[in-house]
Amino acid sequence: MSMVTGAGSGIGRAIALLFASEGSKVVVTDVNDKGGEETANMIRGNGGDALFVHADVSRASDCENAVREAVKRYGQLDILVNNAGIDLPRAKPSADFSEDEFDKVISVNLKGAWLMSKYAIPEMLRRSKGIIVNIASVAGIRPLPLAMPYSVSKAGLIMLTKSMAVEYGNRGIRVNAIAPGWVSTPMAVRAASAYGTTYEEFTKQFLQRIPLGRFADPTEIAKVVLFLASDDSSYMNGAVVVVDGAISIA
Ligand code: NAP
């Protein structure tokens, strides 16, 4: 069975739905109860098996509880996707961010992935088997303009991926990351307003820089997550898979 954090919206929802359509039982977690319940209901409506558990990934007690509930319901935890993430309400230069803004983004995007892994890994070690996929960003490789805390959080997530891959690879756990470029989700819509523009203007501006000429659909990210969560990627460990339409090299 699999657990997806931040699965109440966007990319996380697409991952949860795809996993369920492939026959996986899915523990949907999110801080947003409405979105999380909706995703779990969509899975059940399609004949799948899902459990929603409220979890703010920046809180250790929530992460511990989510793993406990998952194991109580399904007996084991095979796959963890650390997808939950937040962006910044305003784009600005590094020195202008407040301490609170910096702490919040780091505590969800970076600490949250570590905390959920911290409680999931002992369950995986119990069976010497497990897969973790972290949803980073190309911003963790090449800075997103005027979004330093976000870029730093994603760079940290990439290093968390590599550290855990090296530590747990010989104990049956593979850990990989995906670095998406722009994906059409509510986060991308919020990003437009962070840059003080409309979504239409924002997409027009960025589309010129994306060689594929469009934003990704969340399902296009989910399919790569599915590959990393399957035995088809059995020799991949500590990798960062860029799925960005080539924006990061253009
Ligand atoms: P999204 O549509 O905003 O979905 C994120 C989900 O995570 C929302 O349901 C959100 O709840 C939830 N969440 C926020 N804080 C949380 C917390 N502390 N604990 C648990 N859940 C929390 O965003 P998305 O675009 O799908 O992004 C998913 C991941 O992909 C993020 O890590 C993001 O950084 C990454 N990513 C996105 C893009 C992109 O262009 N969209 C590109 C590269 C990487 P609320 O709705 O209540 O906030």
Side-chain angles (χ1 to χ4, degrees):
M1 57 72 63
S2 48
M3 178 189 284
V4 184
T5 71
S9 174
I11 298 170
R13 173 173 284 175
I15 296 166
L17 293 175
L18 183 62
F19 278 18
S21 76
E22 292 288 318
S24 179
K25 294 161 180 158
V26 184
V27 176
V28 171
T29 76
D30 205 294
V31 73
N32 183 329
D33 293 350
K34 187 169 173 283
E37 288 286 12
E38 253 170 37
T39 303
N41 282 332
M42 288 164 86
I43 291 173
R44 289 185 209 112
N46 293 335
D49 189 344
L51 170 72
F52 170 67
V53 183
H54 172 92
D56 175 344
V57 293
S58 66
R59 295 168 59 97
S61 56
D62 282 15
C63 295
E64 189 175 18
N65 179 60
V67 172
R68 193 187 309 118
E69 289 299 313
V71 174
K72 193 162 98 189
R73 169 80 163 254
Y74 296 116
Q76 64 198 62
L77 178 54
D78 302 311
I79 298 160
L80 168 65
V81 181
N82 285 310
N83 164 80
I86 55 171
D87 48 351
L88 293 148
R90 278 273 157 268
K92 47 193 170 186
S94 293
D96 293 357
F97 284 107
S98 69
E99 188 178 353
D100 277 356
E101 285 171 324
F102 183 88
D103 284 349
K104 192 159 181 233
V105 170
I106 297 292
S107 77
V108 176
N109 295 7
L110 176 55
K111 190 176 87 170
W114 167 64
L115 279 176
M116 200 54 102
S117 304
K118 174 179 166 60
Y119 295 105
I121 285 170
E123 277 309 318
M124 294 174 172
L125 288 177
R126 207 163 50 80
R127 303 172 56 244
S128 301
K129 194 174 173 8
I131 292 170
I132 298 176
V133 183
N134 294 324
I135 308 302
S137 166
V138 286
I141 299 169
R142 173 182 169 168
L144 184 65
L146 304 175
M148 176 277 294
Y150 183 83
S151 301
V152 167
S153 74
K154 294 299 186 179
L157 185 53
I158 287 171
M159 193 48 72
L160 175 72
T161 303
K162 293 180 180 179
S163 300
M164 295 194 301
V166 168
E167 290 166 359
Y168 295 106
N170 64 359
R171 298 171 75 185
I173 302 175
R174 294 192 294 115
V175 188
N176 292 291
I178 292 194
W182 286 109
V183 187
S184 300
T185 71
M187 182 181 279
V189 176
R190 286 194 305 271
S193 89
Y195 284 100
T197 178
T198 62
Y199 189 57
E200 288 66 35
E201 274 305 313
F202 180 71
T203 44
K204 213 184 296 167
Q205 182 193 326
F206 271 100
L207 288 185
Q208 289 164 7
R209 294 180 35 204
I210 304 172
L212 283 188
R214 61 180 178 85
F215 282 21
D217 185 85
T219 57
E220 293 177 291
I221 307 301
K223 286 177 192 166
V224 186
V225 178
L226 180 66
F227 169 68
L228 290 177
S230 76
D231 287 343
D232 288 344
S233 60
S234 51
Y235 202 63
M236 291 184 74
N237 189 32
V240 182
V241 182
V242 174
V243 188
D244 73 339
I247 190 174
S248 62
I249 53 166

